[in-house]
Amino acid sequence: MGIAYTQALFSQTITIKNKDTKQPIELVTLMDERPNAFATTNAEGQANISVFRGSEKIVIRSLGFKTVAKSYADLVAANFELMMEASVLNLDEVVISGTKWRQNANTVPSKIISIAPTDAILLNPQTAADLLGMSGKVFIQKSQQGGGSPMIRGFATNRLLYTVDGVRMNTAIFRAGNIQNVINIDPFATENTEVLFGPGSVIYGSDAIGGVMSFQTLTPQLSLTDNPLITGKAEARYSSANNEKTGHFDVNVGWKKWAMVTSISSWDFNHLRQGSNGPDDYIKPYYVQRQDSVDWVITQDDSLLQIPTAYSQINLMQKLRFTPNEKWDFQYGFHYSETSPYGRYDRHNRTKNGTARYAEWNYGPQLWMMNNLNISHTGNNIIYDGLTIRLAMQSFEESRIDRSLNKDIRNTQSEEVQAYSFNLDFNKSLGKKNTLFYGVEYVLNEVKSIGMLTDISINLSEAGPSRYPQSKWVSIAAYLNNALKVSDKFTLQAGLRYNQFILDAEFDTTFYPFPFTTANNNNGALTGSIGGVYRPTETWVINANFGTAFRAPNVDDLGKVFDSEPGTVTVPNPDLEAEYAYNFDLGIAKVFGELIKVDLTGYYTLLQNAIVRRDYQFNGQDSIPYDGEMSKVQANQNAAVANVYGIQAGLELKLPAGFNFSSDLNYQVGEEELDNGTTSPSRHAAPLFGVSRLIFKANKLNMQLNTMYQGERKYEDLAEEEKGKDELYAKDANGNNYSPSWYTLNFHAMFQITSNFILGAGIENITDQRYRPYSSGISGAGRNYVLSLRANF
């Protein structure tokens, strides 16, 4: 024992490996009873655990493995080596999105899931939206191939929150209609993805009504020896349904105090081919091409190709880390993402007078750039145990370009948002049973919007109507959250947040004679939550949570002029107030022996003062000329009450001979009040959906056969605003729009050729179904062959 202790004085580096494959496990989290004593393994499965010296209980967790509890003395006796056993029936997990600090999921009342990086390697999601969708718990809507708008618990778009490395990604122009900003996030450069279900406004502020999607990108890893740590990966992938050609490379170079990681990814997608078995209503067998100053409607050689849907994208990331000592950690990150222009396919499906309505309807390049500085300090003083400062500057650019068939005027609307944010977050342990999480936040969005009209026959451009007023949106907030360990079996958590939000907008009356030139909004919102987690035994977890959330009116709510559907136009309403949500959910998870895990969560959310689009009067008129036709006037108003309730169910079975089975099922029902006093189904409450998986793992081979599915949404169950959107839906026997049920059968395999090379292959939509996810404007891929090669070094 004396020799082992002497060795421990000089080496506190633990190595953790997979018991079956003997391969190192990356991103294993080690924590003790103090919230700030933690470590994470690097790509070589190693971590410096000197901070745990003398600890009596170090809990070691990794997604997909059995949780292990060891004392520091145990690790010394084992020569700082540990083998972890794979398991799919784990109730223990480390999560960050609950409070922005690492916590055992068993102490967080909200339902939080993590998406394992190993699943992403196996399933090869093309975008971050697909990464979320493969969880089986998040529904993804798409209006075009370059898109992906998550729906969670009956909410979507600006009622959900996105964070990247703890920085708020939502901007003041996040709209109620479907959005595609999530595709700017690189799944190759993401080391952890979490989804918090239900209200998250106490920690995250406005928009966190239905849930929070938290993406943690690659963290620069330090060397634990005198030699530099050089690790990375390179990957190439091909998919047949859209002729995808993707490449990725990242490299980490780490020294003892300095480290950096560089990442670059490139995607090229051709037009997406849909399946051959399904509704003919989804087939658009033509596209528009301009030749000799005339727009020609051309019949496609392959009617299953969805033209135009092709696009490309590039992502760059550079991170730099400096840790002068064990108490301070400085991390700087640079992120850049840019897409090519791409067609909005649902608008290309619209017809007028028996032919295509638009010759052009495209999104311009979508750009996202972020510079962020993250400073962490372990203080263990009277004010805090842990401190994190986040400073971020983001730049967003997007545009819309449309031109009607055989018309010479092209309308271009371009938006730029400069987003600045400052977050100061603390945690403080008050004894062994009480932990405070508190902080302040400041967010500023500056919105610049311009319009341009171009006569393409003479190539002459002039100023046109902008989509938004020139605006500033400010959010100032403070929050306090308390976790109390009432007993070894019960944890109580409660929190409050006060948020002041300010919006100033200046309207240009050149093109629309608004009855005002400025709009100002200055209001506050108080939100809170209280919940508990009860764990009667190691195999039972019961959690309940009541929380409120809010969404402050943003520039898109207050100041947008656009056509939501043919024959209507939405105009600004400067009198909007915040909408509030009240949510209760109850969850139960139980492991039966070593064979079965059942997870069931029920929830109910009431949304009051809901911001919805309703008929409106503009200068005393209910209709005005817009885009060449007389259009009914609508505006966003605090005009409705909405409610959503549902169940999320999960099942995992451990089968013999290396097989496992798992299934996720989501059922949600939403209703919202109409202006005539009746109710309508909610647009963003997806039909029944889920995924079931048969998994096989043996040494170097990992295989999964899964089926993804969606239930039918009948015409009478569509939201009123959806019933007239012929371009989205199939026709039922009565000629009415509806969303048919569908399924896809998919097979994926991954084989570890050597310790450095992984070969991936898959066949998606094996039966070549022609299907379209609910509310989507583009069909999913037909039969798709996927091949990838990954090299780790």
Side-chain angles (χ1 to χ4, degrees):
M1 183 65 185
I3 295 175
Y5 183 79
T6 302
Q7 180 186 16
L9 292 177
F10 296 96
S11 172
Q12 292 89 39
T13 300
I14 190 171
T15 301
I16 302 178
K17 295 182 179 180
N18 186 319
K19 183 178 180 181
D20 297 326
T21 67
K22 305 302 187 290
Q23 293 294 312
I25 308 174
E26 187 177 5
L27 300 177
V28 178
T29 300
L30 300 91
M31 299 177 63
D32 73 0
E33 294 298 320
R34 296 167 295 168
N36 288 313
F38 66 88
T40 305
T41 58
N42 61 21
E44 297 181 342
Q46 296 182 332
N48 182 345
I49 59 169
S50 58
V51 68
F52 294 96
R53 192 178 294 115
S55 180
E56 296 181 358
K57 184 180 180 182
I58 306 171
V59 182
I60 305 168
R61 302 180 179 91
S62 182
L63 198 60
F65 292 87
K66 283 186 177 179
T67 298
V68 179
K70 298 283 186 180
S71 69
Y72 188 82
D74 291 336
L75 298 179
V76 171
N79 293 321
F80 294 101
E81 293 185 359
L82 180 69
M83 296 291 181
M84 295 190 72
E85 184 178 348
S87 174
V88 296
L89 306 178
N90 210 334
L91 292 177
D92 286 309
E93 190 176 331
V94 174
V95 295
I96 300 175
S97 57
T99 60
K100 296 185 182 179
W101 299 93
R102 287 178 175 83
Q103 290 179 282
N104 185 342
N106 292 329
T107 66
V108 181
S110 300
K111 180 179 177 63
I112 301 176
I113 65 162
S114 295
I115 300 175
T118 52
D119 289 341
I121 298 172
L122 173 65
L123 299 178
N124 274 310
Q126 292 187 340
T127 68
D130 298 331
L131 175 70
L132 292 166
M134 75 184 197
S135 70
K137 301 177 180 69
V138 179
F139 189 87
I140 302 297
Q141 181 278 350
K142 292 187 179 183
S143 297
Q144 63 281 325
Q145 185 173 207
S149 188
M151 296 183 182
I152 298 176
R153 289 190 173 185
F155 296 100
T157 61
N158 56 16
R159 288 175 181 153
L160 301 176
L161 189 78
Y162 304 80
T163 71
V164 180
D165 293 345
V167 177
R168 175 191 182 93
M169 194 182 190
N170 292 40
T171 73
I173 62 170
F174 265 39
R175 54 190 180 273
N178 299 305
I179 59 176
Q180 57 271 354
N181 300 74
V182 72
I183 69 170
N184 284 124
I185 300 168
D186 183 356
F188 289 109
T190 301
E191 69 180 21
N192 185 51
T193 303
E194 292 181 10
V195 181
L196 181 152
F197 295 89
S201 283
V202 168
I203 303 298
Y204 296 99
S206 179
D207 303 0
I209 291 178
V212 178
M213 291 156 285
S214 175
F215 298 88
Q216 176 62 48
T217 61
L218 298 174
T219 301
Q221 298 178 354
L222 300 166
S223 175
L224 301 177
T225 69
D226 292 331
N227 298 319
L229 172 69
I230 302 176
T231 60
K233 62 179 179 288
E235 183 164 345
R237 184 175 65 214
Y238 173 80
S239 300
S240 63
N242 53 4
N243 198 27
E244 177 202 11
K245 295 178 285 293
T246 289
H248 168 78
F249 175 80
D250 68 67
V251 61
N252 180 99
V253 181
W255 298 270
K256 284 194 171 182
K257 293 186 177 182
W258 290 88
M260 63 180 182
V261 62
T262 303
S263 172
I264 180 170
S265 300
S266 174
W267 297 263
D268 184 79
F269 304 108
N270 210 327
H271 304 299
L272 180 64
R273 186 184 187 276
Q274 59 186 326
S276 58
N277 303 307
D280 291 339
D281 304 292
Y282 295 156
I283 296 177
K284 178 180 73 68
Y286 63 85
Y287 63 94
V288 178
Q289 189 174 80
R290 191 165 181 84
Q291 300 175 359
D292 300 325
S293 301
V294 177
D295 294 324
W296 295 91
V297 179
I298 298 174
T299 301
Q300 297 175 190
D301 294 331
D302 183 352
S303 63
L304 297 181
L305 276 180
Q306 299 176 97
I307 303 176
T309 55
Y311 82 103
S312 60
Q313 181 173 331
I314 187 169
N315 273 53
L316 305 172
M317 184 184 76
Q318 179 65 56
K319 282 190 168 183
L320 184 65
R321 182 180 185 183
F322 174 55
T323 55
N325 52 51
E326 292 182 353
K327 292 185 177 294
W328 287 97
D329 190 350
F330 298 82
Q331 294 188 38
Y332 164 76
F334 170 78
H335 303 260
Y336 181 82
S337 175
E338 180 177 355
T339 72
S340 67
Y342 50 91
R344 180 167 171 177
Y345 190 70
D346 62 340
R347 294 298 173 95
H348 284 275
N349 271 329
R350 289 186 175 179
T351 59
K352 187 175 182 180
N353 299 326
T355 189
R357 177 176 180 178
Y358 293 105
E360 303 174 42
W361 213 118
N362 305 315
Y363 285 112
Q366 180 172 291
L367 278 73
W368 171 61
M369 181 174 70
M370 179 169 75
N371 290 272
N372 70 299
L373 178 64
N374 189 319
I375 304 171
S376 298
H377 181 241
T378 302
N380 297 323
N381 54 49
I382 193 171
I383 304 294
Y384 61 86
D385 295 330
L387 156 72
T388 298
I389 301 171
R390 292 182 179 89
L391 296 166
M393 179 177 67
Q394 298 180 81
S395 178
F396 301 82
E397 294 183 22
E398 59 185 54
S399 58
R400 295 157 179 80
I401 304 104
D402 67 87
R403 182 175 61 83
S404 297
L405 187 72
N406 283 316
K407 301 295 184 182
D408 291 333
I409 303 300
R410 175 189 293 136
N411 178 39
T412 302
Q413 293 179 318
S414 303
E415 283 75 50
E416 295 182 11
V417 179
Q418 301 297 321
Y420 308 89
S421 60
F422 167 76
N423 289 84
L424 183 59
D425 299 297
F426 303 90
N427 72 38
K428 176 62 182 174
S429 294
L430 304 177
K432 293 184 177 181
K433 295 187 174 183
N434 208 5
T435 304
L436 288 178
F437 306 95
Y438 60 101
V440 295
E441 178 186 70
Y442 176 84
V443 179
L444 167 65
N445 281 195
E446 296 178 340
V447 178
K448 180 182 179 182
S449 182
I450 60 173
M452 181 177 296
L453 299 174
T454 303
D455 188 333
I456 63 172
S457 65
I458 57 175
N459 197 27
L460 180 65
S461 298
E462 62 181 17
S466 64
R467 183 178 173 88
Y468 299 114
Q470 313 310 308
S471 311
K472 287 186 178 181
W473 185 88
V474 174
S475 171
I476 305 170
Y479 74 91
L480 173 67
N481 198 59
N482 184 36
L484 174 63
K485 190 174 182 180
V486 179
S487 68
D488 289 339
K489 295 182 178 180
F490 181 63
T491 301
L492 183 68
Q493 188 162 296
L496 285 172
R497 179 190 185 100
Y498 181 77
N499 218 113
Q500 191 74 16
F501 48 90
I502 305 162
L503 196 162
D504 295 311
E506 296 182 2
F507 293 87
D508 183 355
T509 59
T510 303
F511 301 96
Y512 300 105
F514 298 126
F516 45 79
T517 57
T518 62
N520 307 101
N521 198 308
N522 189 340
N523 283 301
L526 179 67
T527 53
S529 67
I530 184 169
V533 181
Y534 178 57
R535 190 164 186 174
T537 69
E538 289 296 312
T539 61
W540 271 100
V541 176
I542 303 170
N543 61 278
N545 190 59
F546 173 76
T548 63
F550 77 99
R551 188 175 74 81
N554 64 17
V555 177
D556 185 86
D557 295 311
L558 183 142
K560 177 172 58 179
V561 177
F562 79 114
D563 58 323
S564 55
E565 59 184 71
T568 67
V569 58
T570 298
V571 300
N573 176 9
D575 299 320
L576 285 175
E577 298 176 355
E579 54 187 22
Y580 276 88
Y582 303 85
N583 176 84
F584 176 77
D585 54 82
L586 176 66
I588 300 174
K590 168 68 175 172
V591 173
F592 298 89
E594 293 290 328
L595 298 176
I596 302 173
K597 175 185 173 183
V598 177
D599 187 348
L600 188 66
T601 302
Y603 60 89
Y604 176 85
T605 305
L606 174 66
L607 185 67
Q608 292 188 330
N609 228 19
I611 299 175
V612 291
R613 201 163 51 236
R614 291 287 181 264
D615 290 346
Y616 194 65
Q617 287 199 342
F618 182 73
N619 283 341
Q621 297 178 318
D622 59 10
S623 297
I624 60 173
Y626 182 78
D627 199 21
E629 62 180 279
M630 206 65 178
S631 299
K632 180 188 292 186
V633 175
Q634 294 185 329
N636 285 327
Q637 302 172 53
N638 297 107
V641 173
N643 64 82
V644 181
Y645 60 89
I647 294 174
Q648 295 174 287
L651 173 68
E652 297 180 33
L653 301 177
K654 185 177 181 180
L655 303 174
F659 284 92
N660 295 290
F661 174 82
S662 69
S663 189
D664 289 290
L665 192 66
N666 306 268
Y667 173 77
Q668 47 277 315
V669 176
E671 285 187 340
E672 65 179 38
E673 180 185 8
L674 300 178
D675 52 4
N676 61 5
T678 61
T679 60
S680 165
S682 173
R683 172 187 176 186
H684 290 134
L688 177 79
F689 74 95
V691 60
S692 299
R693 318 166 187 87
L694 180 64
I695 304 162
F696 175 77
K697 293 182 180 179
N699 294 324
K700 298 180 179 181
L701 182 63
N702 188 350
M703 297 189 295
Q704 182 179 129
L705 179 68
N706 68 56
T707 178
M708 303 185 73
Y709 40 86
Q710 175 209 288
E712 180 185 55
R713 178 60 55 87
K714 296 179 180 179
Y715 172 77
E716 54 267 29
D717 295 327
L718 286 175
E720 286 299 315
E721 60 186 303
E722 294 290 288
K723 290 181 177 179
K725 296 180 179 179
D726 296 336
E727 68 272 20
L728 303 187
Y729 298 104
K731 299 292 184 182
D732 63 17
N734 298 318
N736 294 320
N737 291 325
Y738 85 116
S739 180
S741 61
W742 56 264
Y743 78 95
T744 62
L745 186 64
N746 316 283
F747 174 77
H748 294 271
M750 180 176 73
F751 182 72
Q752 183 111 26
I753 303 172
T754 68
S755 59
N756 299 105
F757 289 94
I758 298 174
L759 179 67
I763 307 176
E764 299 173 340
N765 195 0
I766 295 171
T767 57
D768 204 28
Q769 297 297 302
R770 184 186 309 131
Y771 72 99
R772 184 168 290 184
Y774 163 74
S775 193
S776 292
I778 185 173
S779 299
R783 186 180 296 117
N784 184 31
Y785 298 93
V786 183
L787 185 65
S788 67
L789 181 63
R790 179 187 179 106
N792 297 314
F793 61 90

PDB file of all heavy atoms in Angstrom, residues 123-135:
ATOM      1  N   LEU A 123     -25.355   6.339 -36.713  1.00  0.00           N
ATOM      2  CA  LEU A 123     -26.523   6.711 -37.512  1.00  0.00           C
ATOM      3  C   LEU A 123     -26.230   7.785 -38.558  1.00  0.00           C
ATOM      4  O   LEU A 123     -27.061   8.049 -39.420  1.00  0.00           O
ATOM      5  CB  LEU A 123     -27.654   7.179 -36.592  1.00  0.00           C
ATOM      6  CG  LEU A 123     -28.146   6.113 -35.592  1.00  0.00           C
ATOM      7  CD1 LEU A 123     -29.235   6.685 -34.701  1.00  0.00           C
ATOM      8  CD2 LEU A 123     -28.649   4.874 -36.312  1.00  0.00           C
ATOM      9  N   ASN A 124     -25.090   8.434 -38.482  1.00  0.00           N
ATOM     10  CA  ASN A 124     -24.648   9.377 -39.510  1.00  0.00           C
ATOM     11  C   ASN A 124     -25.684  10.446 -39.852  1.00  0.00           C
ATOM     12  O   ASN A 124     -26.094  10.590 -41.013  1.00  0.00           O
ATOM     13  CB  ASN A 124     -24.274   8.615 -40.791  1.00  0.00           C
ATOM     14  CG  ASN A 124     -22.838   8.128 -40.777  1.00  0.00           C
ATOM     15  OD1 ASN A 124     -21.931   8.907 -40.501  1.00  0.00           O
ATOM     16  ND2 ASN A 124     -22.642   6.853 -41.059  1.00  0.00           N
ATOM     17  N   PRO A 125     -26.132  11.256 -38.890  1.00  0.00           N
ATOM     18  CA  PRO A 125     -27.071  12.338 -39.224  1.00  0.00           C
ATOM     19  C   PRO A 125     -26.404  13.363 -40.138  1.00  0.00           C
ATOM     20  O   PRO A 125     -25.243  13.729 -39.932  1.00  0.00           O
ATOM     21  CB  PRO A 125     -27.401  12.950 -37.862  1.00  0.00           C
ATOM     22  CG  PRO A 125     -26.208  12.636 -37.004  1.00  0.00           C
ATOM     23  CD  PRO A 125     -25.734  11.292 -37.465  1.00  0.00           C
ATOM     24  N   GLN A 126     -27.135  13.836 -41.161  1.00  0.00           N
ATOM     25  CA  GLN A 126     -26.555  14.788 -42.099  1.00  0.00           C
ATOM     26  C   GLN A 126     -26.466  16.188 -41.514  1.00  0.00           C
ATOM     27  O   GLN A 126     -25.566  16.962 -41.864  1.00  0.00           O
ATOM     28  CB  GLN A 126     -27.365  14.800 -43.398  1.00  0.00           C
ATOM     29  CG  GLN A 126     -27.240  13.511 -44.193  1.00  0.00           C
ATOM     30  CD  GLN A 126     -27.915  13.586 -45.558  1.00  0.00           C
ATOM     31  OE1 GLN A 126     -28.778  14.437 -45.795  1.00  0.00           O
ATOM     32  NE2 GLN A 126     -27.534  12.694 -46.460  1.00  0.00           N
ATOM     33  N   THR A 127     -27.407  16.553 -40.649  1.00  0.00           N
ATOM     34  CA  THR A 127     -27.438  17.888 -40.052  1.00  0.00           C
ATOM     35  C   THR A 127     -27.718  17.776 -38.562  1.00  0.00           C
ATOM     36  O   THR A 127     -28.073  16.705 -38.054  1.00  0.00           O
ATOM     37  CB  THR A 127     -28.536  18.758 -40.694  1.00  0.00           C
ATOM     38  OG1 THR A 127     -29.832  18.225 -40.323  1.00  0.00           O
ATOM     39  CG2 THR A 127     -28.413  18.786 -42.213  1.00  0.00           C
ATOM     40  N   ALA A 128     -27.594  18.897 -37.850  1.00  0.00           N
ATOM     41  CA  ALA A 128     -27.915  18.914 -36.422  1.00  0.00           C
ATOM     42  C   ALA A 128     -29.400  18.673 -36.185  1.00  0.00           C
ATOM     43  O   ALA A 128     -29.794  18.142 -35.140  1.00  0.00           O
ATOM     44  CB  ALA A 128     -27.481  20.237 -35.799  1.00  0.00           C
ATOM     45  N   ALA A 129     -30.246  19.053 -37.143  1.00  0.00           N
ATOM     46  CA  ALA A 129     -31.678  18.746 -37.024  1.00  0.00           C
ATOM     47  C   ALA A 129     -31.895  17.240 -37.060  1.00  0.00           C
ATOM     48  O   ALA A 129     -32.683  16.689 -36.277  1.00  0.00           O
ATOM     49  CB  ALA A 129     -32.455  19.430 -38.151  1.00  0.00           C
ATOM     50  N   ASP A 130     -31.204  16.545 -37.953  1.00  0.00           N
ATOM     51  CA  ASP A 130     -31.307  15.086 -38.012  1.00  0.00           C
ATOM     52  C   ASP A 130     -30.743  14.451 -36.749  1.00  0.00           C
ATOM     53  O   ASP A 130     -31.228  13.405 -36.296  1.00  0.00           O
ATOM     54  CB  ASP A 130     -30.568  14.562 -39.241  1.00  0.00           C
ATOM     55  CG  ASP A 130     -31.154  15.076 -40.547  1.00  0.00           C
ATOM     56  OD1 ASP A 130     -32.368  15.347 -40.586  1.00  0.00           O
ATOM     57  OD2 ASP A 130     -30.395  15.227 -41.522  1.00  0.00           O
ATOM     58  N   LEU A 131     -29.712  15.067 -36.169  1.00  0.00           N
ATOM     59  CA  LEU A 131     -29.141  14.583 -34.911  1.00  0.00           C
ATOM     60  C   LEU A 131     -30.202  14.594 -33.811  1.00  0.00           C
ATOM     61  O   LEU A 131     -30.339  13.630 -33.044  1.00  0.00           O
ATOM     62  CB  LEU A 131     -27.952  15.464 -34.526  1.00  0.00           C
ATOM     63  CG  LEU A 131     -27.286  15.191 -33.176  1.00  0.00           C
ATOM     64  CD1 LEU A 131     -26.538  13.863 -33.201  1.00  0.00           C
ATOM     65  CD2 LEU A 131     -26.328  16.318 -32.800  1.00  0.00           C
ATOM     66  N   LEU A 132     -30.983  15.676 -33.723  1.00  0.00           N
ATOM     67  CA  LEU A 132     -32.056  15.751 -32.735  1.00  0.00           C
ATOM     68  C   LEU A 132     -33.155  14.738 -33.043  1.00  0.00           C
ATOM     69  O   LEU A 132     -33.681  14.080 -32.146  1.00  0.00           O
ATOM     70  CB  LEU A 132     -32.651  17.160 -32.712  1.00  0.00           C
ATOM     71  CG  LEU A 132     -31.756  18.278 -32.178  1.00  0.00           C
ATOM     72  CD1 LEU A 132     -32.348  19.641 -32.528  1.00  0.00           C
ATOM     73  CD2 LEU A 132     -31.561  18.161 -30.676  1.00  0.00           C
ATOM     74  N   GLY A 133     -33.486  14.606 -34.321  1.00  0.00           N
ATOM     75  CA  GLY A 133     -34.572  13.723 -34.719  1.00  0.00           C
ATOM     76  C   GLY A 133     -34.297  12.260 -34.427  1.00  0.00           C
ATOM     77  O   GLY A 133     -35.222  11.495 -34.130  1.00  0.00           O
ATOM     78  N   MET A 134     -33.025  11.860 -34.505  1.00  0.00           N
ATOM     79  CA  MET A 134     -32.721  10.444 -34.315  1.00  0.00           C
ATOM     80  C   MET A 134     -32.930  10.006 -32.861  1.00  0.00           C
ATOM     81  O   MET A 134     -32.960   8.808 -32.572  1.00  0.00           O
ATOM     82  CB  MET A 134     -31.284  10.145 -34.764  1.00  0.00           C
ATOM     83  CG  MET A 134     -30.204  10.618 -33.824  1.00  0.00           C
ATOM     84  SD  MET A 134     -28.554  10.321 -34.491  1.00  0.00           S
ATOM     85  CE  MET A 134     -27.577  10.492 -32.965  1.00  0.00           C
ATOM     86  N   SER A 135     -33.101  10.966 -31.945  1.00  0.00           N
ATOM     87  CA  SER A 135     -33.359  10.618 -30.549  1.00  0.00           C
ATOM     88  C   SER A 135     -34.712   9.938 -30.374  1.00  0.00           C
ATOM     89  O   SER A 135     -34.939   9.243 -29.387  1.00  0.00           O
ATOM     90  CB  SER A 135     -33.313  11.875 -29.674  1.00  0.00           C
ATOM     91  OG  SER A 135     -34.425  12.715 -29.943  1.00  0.00           O
TER      92      SER A 135
END
